[in-house]
Amino acid sequence: MMINIKELKGYLVINKASLDDELVQQSGLFFNVGEAYIEAVDQRDALKEDLGIIEAELDSEIRDKAELRDESGRGL
């Protein structure tokens, strides 16, 4: 679910003349924002995990290449 923050800011204004309706609407909006937050955190965590895997793979490749270079006598 993609949430447009600018659109949601408009919902922050509460109409005092219809507080009952506003209470119902605000709780629904709060729920939707909470759900979107959970999805965003899940996505962030998954991407963070992917990044960790990529970093580990690159680290391994770099170490392997350095080891081969050292073994062949072409060190620093």
Side-chain angles (χ1 to χ4, degrees):
M1 166 194 332
M2 192 65 150
I3 289 189
N4 182 343
I5 298 298
K6 289 182 181 183
E7 179 184 341
L8 290 178
K9 283 183 180 181
Y11 292 121
L12 291 175
V13 178
I14 295 176
N15 181 352
K16 292 179 184 178
S18 59
L19 286 178
D20 290 340
D21 294 337
E22 294 292 340
L23 283 172
V24 171
Q25 181 182 15
Q26 291 294 320
S27 63
L29 290 171
F30 184 79
F31 176 79
N32 289 341
V33 169
E35 289 291 308
Y37 173 77
I38 290 169
E39 288 179 28
V41 168
D42 285 344
Q43 183 180 16
R44 180 204 61 197
D45 291 347
L47 291 171
K48 211 174 191 181
E49 186 176 332
D50 290 346
L51 180 60
I53 292 169
I54 291 168
E55 286 177 339
E57 289 171 352
L58 289 173
D59 182 63
S60 177
E61 286 179 29
I62 291 169
R63 289 177 187 273
D64 290 345
K65 286 179 182 178
E67 188 177 313
L68 288 173
R69 189 176 39 226
D70 289 344
E71 287 175 1
S72 68
R74 291 186 290 150
L76 300 174

